[in-house]
Amino acid sequence: MHGIADRAGLTGGLPVILHKLILRFLKYKDDMGFYHIQAEDTVRWLDKAGVRLGRGATTLDLGCGHGMIGGILMGRGCRVTFADENNWLLDEYRGADFRVFDIERDDLAKLGRFDLVICSNVLEHISRPERFLKSVDCLLEPGGKLYLSWTNWLSPWGGHEYSPFHYLGPRRGHLVFDRVVKRPRKHTPYENLFPTGIGSTLRMVRDNRNLAVREIAPRYYPELAFIMRLPVLREFLTWNCVLLLERVDRRGSWAHSLRNSL
Ligand SMILES: C[S@@+](CC[C@H](N)C(=O)[O-])C[C@H]1O[C@@H](n2cnc3c(N)ncnc32)[C@H](O)[C@@H]1O
């Protein structure tokens, strides 16, 4: 399944991921090998960040797609619930707990509370990320973690399969791509792909007083985390941004009450 990774004796890491990203950029297709490496990389990153995995940790894979991240976590002993507006789960996860759930329409609280929520590459596909980020803490147990990653709009992959034409703007880029490249396109801005920046998302996250940012990194090359300290530049240099957020209950605290009453 892994191809290059197997030959290199690796399952992830910077060289493999970069090689895969470049191939993906040159020849867009749904690449299961890429998704698998991405999922393994995600779990490795969570381990490094000190997130407690396994031993019955309740976990939600929200917008799970094929379910590879949740699938690996199940293998580690987590109790995983998968949720997506459509069921794309791989056959091997068909017996797992799956909920049909539309983030735009349904009440997040109905999904329950979890020690860990994975929301990988979903944020840029929802029209009102601010609404989601305002209430997402309700999915977390106190001290629970949210792994949130998305392809930021100004990233070289911001337009997904019609990149780099997205740099011509969200109103025009896809239309120029249609005329020039003439390849089928899955994404249309403001229909199923929404320009989502790093700075703007961090501001939304900070508006939720129950969430604290524990880690921030470029997802595919976290070794270069210093990029995240460079406003504006980070929007272009980051292919995909990852945040690790933790639920810290401050809403009831006197400091928060005081701040709100002023
Ligand atoms: C790019 S895929 C990511 C899949 C998986 N999380 C991963 O990282 O491989 C985006 C996923 O988000 C789901 N999605 C998009 N909008 C959604 C919504 N409003 N509610 C629930 N799921 C949604 C899609 O069905 C799709 O499975």
Side-chain angles (χ1 to χ4, degrees):
M1 189 186 210
H2 300 152
I4 310 161
D6 281 346
R7 283 199 296 282
L10 295 164
T11 52
L14 189 61
V16 175
I17 288 277
L18 282 181
H19 190 146
K20 280 284 199 184
L21 287 177
I22 290 163
L23 285 181
R24 212 170 172 220
F25 194 90
L26 295 176
K27 192 175 177 197
Y28 181 80
K29 64 179 165 58
D30 241 5
D31 178 345
M32 298 304 268
F34 176 80
Y35 292 140
H36 194 88
I37 290 175
Q38 178 176 261
E40 288 192 332
D41 226 55
T42 301
V43 175
R44 195 175 307 116
W45 189 81
L46 287 168
D47 266 331
K48 269 198 192 149
V51 177
R52 187 179 72 84
L53 305 175
R55 283 174 294 150
T58 54
T59 303
L60 172 69
D61 190 348
L62 182 59
C64 58
H66 301 303
M68 289 188 188
I69 301 176
I72 294 176
L73 292 173
M74 269 199 313
R76 289 280 300 266
C78 297
R79 285 189 4 238
V80 178
T81 298
F82 296 91
D84 200 297
E85 60 180 350
N86 291 302
N87 191 340
W88 312 107
L89 281 183
L90 295 176
D91 285 345
E92 57 202 281
Y93 309 133
R94 286 279 162 189
D97 178 15
F98 175 83
R99 317 270 174 91
V100 177
F101 189 84
D102 184 343
I103 296 170
E104 306 266 25
R105 202 192 51 207
D106 299 331
D107 179 7
L108 286 174
K110 283 195 180 145
L111 286 170
R113 280 191 178 192
F114 302 86
D115 298 317
L116 173 64
V117 174
I118 304 289
C119 187
S120 158
N121 294 354
V122 182
L123 196 69
E124 71 271 38
H125 300 295
I126 57 179
S127 62
R128 295 177 57 199
E130 72 290 349
R131 183 172 163 269
F132 172 68
L133 292 172
K134 203 171 167 185
S135 55
V136 69
D137 56 291
C138 76
L139 288 173
L140 298 170
E141 296 285 2
K145 305 285 193 303
L146 167 63
Y147 175 98
L148 179 72
S149 75
W150 77 101
T151 305
N152 41 295
W153 174 249
L154 290 174
S155 130
W157 190 248
H160 292 47
E161 72 281 4
Y162 75 90
S163 304
F165 287 80
H166 65 296
Y167 286 126
L168 296 175
R171 307 256 169 227
R172 232 178 3 169
H174 59 299
L175 301 176
V176 177
F177 170 87
D178 290 347
R179 227 172 288 152
V180 175
V181 181
K182 299 184 171 71
R183 203 167 58 204
R185 176 165 54 76
K186 284 204 296 195
H187 295 100
T188 300
Y190 302 115
E191 277 179 24
N192 57 2
L193 182 64
F194 299 86
T196 311
I198 297 174
S200 57
T201 301
L202 282 173
R203 280 191 292 280
M204 292 178 217
V205 165
R206 285 181 186 132
D207 279 346
N208 185 331
R209 297 277 300 155
N210 280 351
L211 293 176
V213 180
R214 294 297 181 223
E215 300 275 348
I216 172 165
R219 180 179 187 179
Y220 302 130
Y221 29 94
E223 299 85 348
L224 307 184
F226 72 91
I227 290 174
M228 292 305 176
R229 292 198 291 270
L230 309 172
V232 184
L233 274 181
R234 67 187 171 195
E235 306 284 347
F236 294 90
L237 298 179
T238 303
W239 188 286
N240 189 292
C241 181
V242 58
L243 300 179
L244 183 66
L245 305 173
E246 179 176 337
R247 178 170 175 162
V248 284
D249 279 307
R250 282 189 288 224
R251 249 176 216 154
S253 74
W254 67 269
H256 188 55
S257 316
L258 183 64
R259 170 197 264 255
N260 280 346
S261 66
L262 293 174

